[in-house]
Amino acid sequence: MTTARGRSARSARSEQVIRRLMRFAVELPSWGFADSGTRFGTFRQDAAAIDLADKFADAGCVHKFTGITPTVAVHVLWDFPNGFDPAVVKLARAHGVRIGAVNPNVFQDQCYKYGSICNRDGRIRRRAVRHLLESVGIARAAGSRYLSLWFADGANYPGQADIRQRKRWATAALKKVHAAMPRGMTMLIEYKPFEPACYFTDFFDWGSSYIYAKAAGPRAKVLVDTGHHLPGCNIEQIVAWLIDENMLGGFHFNDRKYADDDLTVGSIDPYQTFRIFNEIAAWEHEKGRDLNIAYMIDQCHNIKPKVEATIQTVCEIQELFAKALCVDRRALAAARAAEDTIGAEQILRAAFKADVTGILRAVRRRLNVPPDPLAAYRKSPYAEAAARDRAARRRQLARAGSPRPGGLGTGG
Ligand code: RM4
Ligand code: MN
Ligand code: MN
């Protein structure tokens, strides 16, 4: 029987969930709007972003429809190929977004064949550190809070490299970079078990990132890219541990089937993303405050239209967090105390299966965005106009003889 008291308790809970979702933001990757492919080739899209202005325009469009993506992560070499111009801060603002995490690139230049900050050659290590320090400067000038580091360093064959020596070189470099960061900046250290180095990578799992971060300094944290784990890995346990150690810096969200597939969040295993959010929601419930981390997307929409795929992703992330916020924590605690395994599991499952459409609608009404952002976007003329405009500009660029701007060729 539904009592009035039950109903009002439920609506108070919903109001809390709505308020939390109003404080939830997801960061978009600039590289998610440009042409991308696999190492076997890239299929181009007319509507793909050509330059940074297009990327900001696309991100601004996603923000307009979803209301929760005010920032855009940038990749130093891809977004500022001719150096950083402070005017881009205004450019972003003109499109209704701000610059988010700054991602240096110490993996593409020929000199990094044998690594960057782990390279045997001190000159290359110093060059990589110089680029990282420049990126700190860019982040400072862009008003960004995050320096987001990913290294392709590693070895391809047993015997090739001294594992411990490389660890020490990386540590020394990170310390230097950390020392140059202004107070309000956080260093995010990402990891990935393989690729492009296929015997080992120098930043291979959360433990390695944790150890590097601890050595680098107090404002260095671990960045969990959900696609960067070996099959079967319990990612939510890693997340729970990092939260408990105050060492979780943020996420690169994506989904995967086999390896670092960079598929759309929720396309393969939405329950896993839910379980990750459940750890966050549990901590927030316990502490009574928001966990201060970066929620970022890192996906490659190789064949999907990019803005649309991004809106799909953002809505999926928001929905999965909403569901995790709906877990009945009191009932869960009681089930655990009674060693009621099935009861506890059912409480999680119930939240995962719950219909949160009403909650999301309420959030979107307050954010002044369409109740179904994806459907609204699909009806809007944005994609068609972008395709027309960008195809024409590409023809012009080709006539002027400038090479087609490259994005990420490897699937990221
Ligand atoms: C990696 C990782 C990083 C991204 C690079 C290019 O797999 O996900 O975040 O910057 O790709
Ligand atoms: Mn990533
Ligand atoms: Mn990746």
Side-chain angles (χ1 to χ4, degrees), residues 50-371:
I50 300 175
D51 53 25
L52 189 56
D54 292 343
K55 295 173 189 173
F56 286 152
D58 289 351
C61 175
V62 174
H63 188 42
K64 206 174 103 202
F65 279 89
T66 63
I68 62 165
T69 61
T71 57
V72 187
V74 291
H75 231 292
V76 171
L77 280 196
W78 304 335
D79 292 326
F80 314 121
N82 308 314
F84 177 74
D85 176 354
V88 298
V89 176
K90 275 203 196 121
L91 180 68
R93 213 175 303 139
H95 290 286
V97 286
R98 280 176 284 117
I99 293 178
V102 170
N103 290 251
N105 184 319
V106 285
F107 51 84
Q108 247 176 338
D109 283 356
Q110 289 301 314
C111 69
Y112 298 131
K113 180 172 178 180
Y114 299 114
S116 61
I117 58 171
C118 302
N119 200 301
R120 206 185 311 274
D121 185 338
R123 281 168 309 183
I124 311 284
R125 292 201 302 278
R126 281 192 294 278
R127 179 169 162 170
V129 168
R130 236 179 359 254
H131 177 74
L132 298 175
L133 293 174
E134 277 160 22
S135 300
V136 170
I138 291 176
R140 194 200 293 258
S144 168
R145 286 174 55 202
Y146 292 108
L147 180 76
S148 192
L149 305 180
W150 176 73
F151 298 94
D153 288 58
N156 279 291
Y157 293 95
Q160 183 191 333
D162 180 335
I163 297 175
R164 282 180 292 117
Q165 175 64 74
R166 290 177 71 94
K167 168 177 170 281
R168 292 196 297 267
W169 278 328
T171 305
L174 293 173
K175 277 186 178 160
K176 270 191 207 133
V177 178
H178 188 285
M181 288 195 319
R183 263 168 191 280
M185 198 175 288
T186 299
M187 174 189 281
L188 302 175
I189 305 180
E190 194 170 347
Y191 56 90
K192 173 164 159 164
F194 75 101
E195 195 195 37
C198 287
Y199 170 54
F200 72 74
T201 55
D202 292 292
F203 294 71
F204 59 102
D205 71 3
W206 72 276
S208 63
S209 284
Y210 174 95
I211 288 168
Y212 284 130
K214 278 283 179 197
R219 281 165 292 126
K221 306 274 154 162
V222 179
L223 172 60
V224 176
D225 182 313
T226 49
H228 291 189
H229 302 89
L230 295 171
C233 178
N234 187 333
I235 303 173
E236 62 267 29
Q237 185 177 20
I238 294 173
V239 169
W241 273 60
L242 289 174
I243 293 176
D244 204 51
E245 293 292 325
N246 188 24
M247 286 302 282
L248 180 65
F251 290 99
H252 269 179
F253 282 117
N254 52 62
D255 210 341
R256 54 82 69 79
K257 174 91 178 115
Y258 302 105
D260 186 21
D261 306 335
D262 284 342
L263 300 177
T264 308
V265 172
S267 60
I268 305 296
D269 189 357
Y271 193 41
Q272 179 181 273
T273 309
F274 166 84
R275 293 192 309 266
I276 289 172
F277 273 123
N278 176 51
E279 292 304 327
I280 293 165
W283 185 91
E284 292 192 348
H285 176 83
E286 203 179 297
K287 302 286 176 189
R289 62 174 194 271
D290 297 352
L291 186 64
N292 182 17
I293 60 167
Y295 298 93
M296 303 175 284
I297 294 171
D298 186 7
Q299 291 180 174
C300 269
H301 316 116
N302 294 342
I303 59 160
K304 282 182 173 176
K306 294 157 202 297
V307 174
E308 199 176 323
T310 307
I311 293 175
Q312 183 188 35
T313 306
V314 172
C315 292
E316 181 73 14
I317 292 174
Q318 189 184 31
E319 182 173 338
L320 290 166
F321 189 30
K323 285 171 185 259
L325 290 168
C326 288
V327 170
D328 187 338
R329 302 276 156 209
R330 209 186 306 168
L332 185 60
R336 284 177 180 173
E339 288 301 357
D340 179 3
T341 305
I342 293 182
E345 189 196 5
Q346 285 301 98
I347 288 162
L348 282 200
R349 288 208 209 185
F352 178 62
K353 291 183 206 161
D355 181 1
V356 290
T357 318
I359 286 176
L360 293 175
R361 272 178 196 277
V363 171
R364 288 172 186 152
R365 206 177 310 122
R366 290 185 205 183
L367 290 170
N368 219 355
V369 299

